[in-house]
Amino acid sequence: MTSLESKAKAFLQLHVPGDPGVFPTVWDAWSANIAVSAGFSALTLGSHPVADSVGRSDKEGMTFAELLTRVRQITDVVDVPVSVDIESGYGLEPAQLIEGLLEAGAIGLNIEDTVHSEGGRLRGAQEHADLVHGLRQFADAAGVHVVINARTDLFKRKDGDDSDRVDRAIERLKLAAAAGADSLFPVGQHADADMRRLTSELPLPISTVAQPGVSEKAVLADQGVARITFGRFLQWALTEEANRLLNRWK
């Protein structure tokens, strides 16, 4: 079995601006096996689809322990790099988060700046960067270059004025980059000009969420995106198809 450090290095090399790595977002061993059998060389776990799969709500309605159970079930059956959305960290310390992820066989993480355990407040830009720095320190101490995808929810939350939101996101994500992130995730749907600003002005590969049946990889590649995941949209698309099939039998 490939070592965690080798998987982490291989995963990071797939983040190529203009030739983005596509990492299907899965939620259990079944969906992970489907994605690997389809030829994908790395996977992501999304908090929303995982929570749905265990009967919990998104926004840290499940515990970190419940999430790690799912991670282990997936890493037990596929031997590809797996990155995990750990939401805002479940109120845990960076050492606990890194230790849990590595023990479960994951080599990457998303960390967002909405603090669900504290009423959904937005972390300060430096506060979020400090968390990224802590995660990097403990990952380095463990000997695995855990791939940190630093997320901001500024666009999703629509905090502040529209006029300078891109500027504020860039400032926030630059701090995360300096703190040790490997890729940056300005989550949300962006106008073409805004996405091009983000990919050209930020110093690290940019991650985005695509809708499997709607988005076009070539368009995102032309915008300079380096990492594509599906968030909740793959699970939703499969749900629609399941409903279509089941409705035939009512």
Side-chain angles (χ1 to χ4, degrees):
M1 181 171 289
T2 310
S3 73
L4 292 180
E5 175 63 2
S6 296
K7 286 181 179 178
K9 288 180 178 178
F11 184 55
L12 186 55
Q13 289 173 356
L14 295 172
H15 293 61
V16 181
D19 185 18
V22 179
F23 313 130
T25 304
V26 301
W27 52 92
D28 60 9
W30 171 77
S31 55
N33 271 320
I34 287 177
V36 172
S37 295
F40 291 93
S41 55
L43 304 174
T44 54
L45 271 73
S47 64
H48 198 147
V50 173
D52 280 350
S53 77
V54 297
R56 300 287 188 267
S57 62
D58 193 28
K59 301 180 180 179
E60 298 186 5
M62 63 180 166
T63 66
F64 188 51
E66 288 174 318
L67 175 62
L68 291 181
T69 295
R70 273 295 199 232
V71 177
R72 292 186 193 97
Q73 291 168 349
I74 290 170
T75 59
D76 280 348
V77 298
V78 298
D79 193 26
V80 300
V82 173
S83 181
V84 181
D85 177 1
I86 61 170
E87 304 197 64
S88 56
Y90 299 91
L92 301 176
E93 294 299 319
Q96 296 172 286
L97 297 167
I98 293 296
E99 180 181 1
L101 290 170
L102 292 177
E103 189 277 330
I107 51 74
L109 63 89
N110 280 8
I111 185 71
E112 64 189 66
D113 53 5
T114 296
V115 189
H116 302 296
S117 61
E118 298 179 20
R121 71 174 182 88
L122 187 73
R123 282 194 184 98
Q126 187 59 55
E127 181 188 10
H128 191 54
D130 289 344
L131 176 56
V132 170
H133 182 63
L135 292 165
R136 171 57 61 222
Q137 281 187 311
F138 283 104
D140 288 349
V144 178
H145 188 89
V146 173
V147 178
I148 297 176
N149 190 34
R151 167 175 154 170
T152 182
D153 287 343
L154 274 179
F155 297 98
K156 182 179 180 181
R157 297 164 58 105
K158 300 187 185 301
D159 284 8
D161 293 336
D162 293 344
S163 60
D164 68 345
R165 190 171 294 125
V166 176
D167 295 325
R168 287 183 285 117
I170 289 173
E171 178 183 3
R172 177 174 287 258
L173 291 173
K174 281 183 175 179
L175 288 174
D182 296 289
S183 58
L184 305 171
F185 186 15
V187 68
Q189 300 299 308
H190 303 293
D192 181 75
D194 290 343
M195 180 60 87
R196 291 182 187 278
R197 273 200 67 193
L198 291 164
T199 58
S200 63
E201 295 184 29
L202 286 167
L204 292 176
I206 300 303
S207 175
T208 195
V209 171
Q211 298 184 48
V214 177
S215 305
E216 295 291 343
K217 181 181 178 181
V219 172
L220 297 172
D222 183 63
Q223 291 174 335
V225 169
R227 169 178 173 147
I228 298 171
T229 59
F230 296 145
R232 58 194 176 181
F233 293 114
L234 178 59
Q235 189 183 60
W236 281 13
L238 294 179
T239 299
E240 289 180 1
E241 178 62 11
N243 285 333
R244 185 188 69 81
L245 293 171
L246 291 171
N247 283 335
R248 296 183 64 244
W249 296 92
K250 286 184 177 179

